Amino acid sequence: MKQPLVIHWFRQDLRLADNPALYEASKQGTVLPIYILDNKNPGAYAMGAASRLWLHHALLSLNQSLNQKLSLYLGNPLTILLDLVKHHHIKAIFWNRCYEPWCIKRDTLIKTQLQKKGIDIQSYNGSLLWEPWHIKKEDGTPYKVFTPFYQRGCLQSPLPRKPLPTPSLICCDKKATLTVNDILPLPDWSDKIKACWPIGEANAKRRLTAFLKKGIANYKEGRNLPAKPFVSRLSPHLHFGELSPNQVWYGAKSCGDSQQIAHFCSELGWREFSYSQLYFNPTLPQKNLQTKFDRFPWHQNQKHLKAWQKGQTGIPMVDAGMRELWQTGYMHNRLRMIVGSFLVKNLLLHWHHGERWFWDCLVDADLASNSASWQWIAGCGADAAPYFRIFNPVTQGQKFDPEGEYVRKFVPELKALPNKYLFSPWEAPEALLEKAQVVLGDNYPKPIVDLKLSRQQALTAFQSLKQEAT
Ligand SMILES: Cc1cc2nc3c(=O)[nH]c(=O)nc-3n(C[C@H](O)[C@H](O)[C@H](O)COP(=O)(O)OP(=O)(O)OC[C@H]3O[C@@H](n4cnc5c(N)ncnc54)[C@H](O)[C@@H]3O)c2cc1C
């Protein structure tokens, strides 16, 4: 008997293994695997340039795993799905859920419209350990603070689902003629970033295995050292779903139950917390969670913003982070906190500027993690870093990049400076600068703000909020 035809709609689950929707679809019939690039529904949150580059390669890789059977579309998913249903005998459509507010709105509409046509719509959890509505306080409200969210909410809930195997799939022939190049042409700068990242499901698995072998044992302290290989760099793979968090969680657990592993798992918990915040506060990317920050006296300064974006602030640790982002599409978490604090506190520029720049430049740009983290940095979010905690990029450099390897890699104009002055070249004696061939204001900028003074200004600005409130 001929098998019924079902669609698996790939979204942020670009993998075959541990893919709950695909797994179920494969049991129901012959699968038509599709991907739809939707540039309209996300509005201001359409993918940034670095994410598009990643997606390009991720789709090539997925298509290869599917023996070139992935059908690609560009446009409004509702129209495309209605059209597919009209022209082929589709019985059911499967997908894994996404949690961006625009996605929830779009998918709800699609579900209603297709169900009206008699199509069976089945959605699954393919990208979170615990979905937001499962982790709530006893009174039914969402957690606002990370530790109880994770300790009491997540860890006291049923364990995350164990990873599923790769299904044995029977795919039908392609129904579309578009290629990855048609829907996502590569920009001319893409080679440099691509060279930093093996992309796709098989590479994601390799990266996880390598991290579990070599990185995780040093994770707790090592995760703060940007020059060392002790973080997983799995974030873009997780964002695009080349790996599921379940595979990462159980992979980590299989290494034992040390503090290092618990710490690593709690960072996956921060990812869950970000999704919970976005789900329960759909305006998280735009609106301060703490509304008193709506009155914050932000500065407008295009020159400062440009210097920050280009890694030309004259503060080596900040510039190194911003250049890592520009050159690789990634920035180490320690640096994300340092450059974020510098933007919103020393420069007093609105966190939206940071959120937007990261959105465009990060290969792991993720609406939940990016918005929640920027609110955290600015002090206006849930469980945020207190506003008065202002990272000092000089002492941060001395502490977390003590040999200066990271700064020298991304700010090579300073590489001949001794460690003592590497993080604050403006304090170096003239003769030493000359010997290191550093000419401040010429081949490396003078600091665009005085760190002490700008810190004081930030505290005063924050104080003004408190006074207005009383
Ligand atoms: C201002 C700012 C913006 C950020 N924007 C993003 C973003 O757009 N996308 C993104 O995935 N992460 C974001 N983060 C969180 C964090 O910096 C990255 O997840 C982490 O650096 C990724 O590197 P890794 O995979 O080596 O992390 P690891 O240390 O190896 O951690 C493992 C995984 O846990 C998750 N994770 C770790 N830390 C966090 C965190 N603080 N919040 C949420 N999830 C976390 C990630 O999925 C990560 O891959 C941001 C942080 C800051 C301070």
Side-chain angles (χ1 to χ4, degrees):
M1 203 176 80
K2 212 175 155 215
Q3 289 243 54
L5 187 59
V6 301
I7 287 179
H8 175 76
W9 179 13
F10 281 102
R11 295 124 63 91
Q12 287 177 34
D13 56 336
L14 306 180
R15 63 177 184 277
L16 303 189
D18 193 32
N19 186 325
L22 183 67
Y23 190 79
E24 289 305 320
S26 73
K27 292 199 272 185
Q28 306 268 326
T30 303
V31 178
L32 169 62
I34 66 168
Y35 182 88
I36 305 172
L37 183 66
D38 177 0
N39 289 322
K40 283 267 163 56
N41 286 295
Y45 298 99
M47 249 174 281
S51 301
R52 295 170 84 87
L53 179 161
W54 190 287
L55 180 61
H56 176 107
H57 294 284
L59 289 175
L60 286 178
S61 164
L62 180 68
N63 189 27
Q64 201 175 8
S65 312
L66 290 166
N67 297 322
Q68 315 296 330
K69 298 238 164 123
L70 181 65
S71 292
L72 295 167
Y73 299 90
L74 177 65
N76 188 354
L78 177 59
T79 319
I80 292 164
L81 290 169
L82 283 171
D83 198 55
L84 276 170
V85 161
K86 192 168 158 198
H87 292 103
H88 306 282
H89 295 287
I90 309 283
K91 179 178 165 275
I93 303 180
F94 292 76
W95 68 67
N96 290 305
R97 289 187 278 278
C98 293
Y99 306 88
E100 289 79 3
W102 65 264
C103 235
I104 294 177
K105 194 169 154 208
R106 179 196 69 183
D107 293 351
T108 311
L109 177 71
I110 292 177
K111 192 171 168 178
T112 334
Q113 297 287 317
L114 285 157
Q115 278 173 338
K116 274 194 209 153
K117 305 250 168 226
I119 306 293
D120 179 19
I121 303 291
Q122 297 198 27
S123 74
Y124 294 83
N125 170 15
S127 49
L128 289 177
L129 296 168
W130 296 276
E131 288 187 298
W133 48 90
H134 287 136
I135 308 293
K136 288 201 241 169
K137 291 194 277 190
E138 266 172 24
D139 64 4
T141 60
Y143 285 99
K144 292 192 172 147
V145 178
F146 174 71
T147 305
F149 167 84
Y150 184 62
Q151 298 288 347
R152 260 185 257 148
C154 302
L155 296 186
Q156 304 299 320
S157 293
L159 285 173
R161 170 182 56 73
K162 287 256 171 74
L164 297 161
T166 302
S168 44
L169 272 178
I170 301 170
C171 290
C172 68
D173 284 340
K174 264 190 187 181
K175 305 279 183 230
T177 52
L178 288 178
T179 66
V180 174
N181 262 327
D182 296 332
I183 64 167
L184 282 162
L186 282 175
D188 50 12
W189 48 262
S190 75
D191 284 356
K192 206 168 162 200
I193 293 194
K194 170 68 187 72
C196 307
W197 297 97
I199 298 173
E201 182 176 5
N203 286 316
K205 273 190 195 146
R206 269 182 221 119
R207 190 175 282 279
L208 173 62
T209 309
F211 171 70
L212 297 180
K213 238 188 204 160
K214 292 200 186 126
I216 202 167
N218 293 301
Y219 185 75
K220 194 160 181 266
E221 293 78 28
R223 66 183 285 271
N224 284 311
L225 309 173
K228 304 288 178 211
F230 299 140
V231 288
S232 70
R233 291 177 190 255
L234 287 171
S235 48
H237 298 294
L238 279 166
H239 172 74
F240 285 99
E242 294 173 347
L243 267 185
S244 72
N246 307 59
Q247 290 169 306
V248 180
W249 174 273
Y250 283 106
K253 295 283 177 193
S254 73
C255 299
D257 63 354
S258 68
Q259 276 192 7
Q260 311 284 343
I261 290 157
H263 198 105
F264 177 73
C265 288
S266 77
E267 292 303 323
L268 293 174
W270 273 99
R271 181 174 179 271
E272 303 284 312
F273 187 46
S274 303
Y275 274 85
S276 164
Q277 287 177 68
L278 180 63
Y279 182 77
F280 291 111
N281 307 282
T283 57
L284 186 75
Q286 302 97 29
K287 291 195 178 158
N288 302 313
L289 280 186
Q290 295 181 41
T291 50
K292 70 172 183 230
F293 276 85
D294 295 352
R295 290 175 281 111
F296 194 84
W298 299 109
H299 286 186
Q300 303 277 352
N301 188 326
Q302 275 303 317
K303 239 169 106 184
H304 279 179
L305 180 60
K306 277 265 156 337
W308 179 81
Q309 290 171 335
K310 297 260 137 72
Q312 295 288 347
T313 66
I315 313 287
M317 202 59 177
V318 173
D319 292 342
M322 296 308 293
R323 293 182 197 185
E324 180 185 19
L325 174 62
W326 187 247
Q327 290 168 27
T328 70
Y330 172 91
M331 193 194 299
H332 188 278
N333 182 60
R334 172 67 33 192
L335 274 299
R336 295 188 202 205
M337 295 193 288
I338 296 171
V339 305
S341 167
F342 185 77
L343 182 82
V344 297
K345 296 181 182 175
N346 298 91
L347 299 183
L348 286 175
L349 295 177
H350 200 296
W351 62 267
H352 286 169
H353 293 298
E355 185 275 334
R356 292 284 75 197
W357 187 251
F358 273 31
W359 184 256
D360 202 33
C361 299
L362 279 172
V363 287
D364 66 16
D366 181 277
L367 194 62
S369 297
N370 200 34
S371 327
S373 300
W374 275 102
Q375 293 237 14
W376 183 89
I377 282 287
C380 55
D383 196 11
Y387 192 83
F388 54 79
R389 191 181 298 155
I390 300 177
F391 284 75
N392 178 330
V394 176
T395 50
Q396 288 280 311
Q398 291 161 343
K399 195 165 170 200
F400 298 116
D401 187 29
E403 298 308 321
E405 291 162 80
Y406 179 79
V407 162
R408 287 195 176 87
K409 178 171 177 192
F410 290 105
V411 192
E413 20 336 359
L414 301 180
K415 70 171 183 274
L417 271 182
N419 289 347
K420 183 169 177 201
Y421 296 109
L422 185 63
F423 304 102
S424 54
W426 58 91
E427 288 176 336
E430 221 21 79
L432 228 157
L433 286 173
E434 209 174 301
K435 197 170 158 219
Q437 297 185 327
V438 176
V439 186
L440 292 182
D442 182 12
N443 62 1
Y444 186 68
K446 290 180 180 166
I448 58 171
V449 285
D450 177 276
L451 287 177
K452 241 190 197 157
L453 213 74
S454 56
R455 178 178 193 280
Q456 205 42 55
Q457 272 178 354
L459 292 176
T460 310
F462 181 59
Q463 210 57 33
S464 75
L465 280 192
K466 275 180 146 178
Q467 277 156 6
E468 278 177 47
T470 51

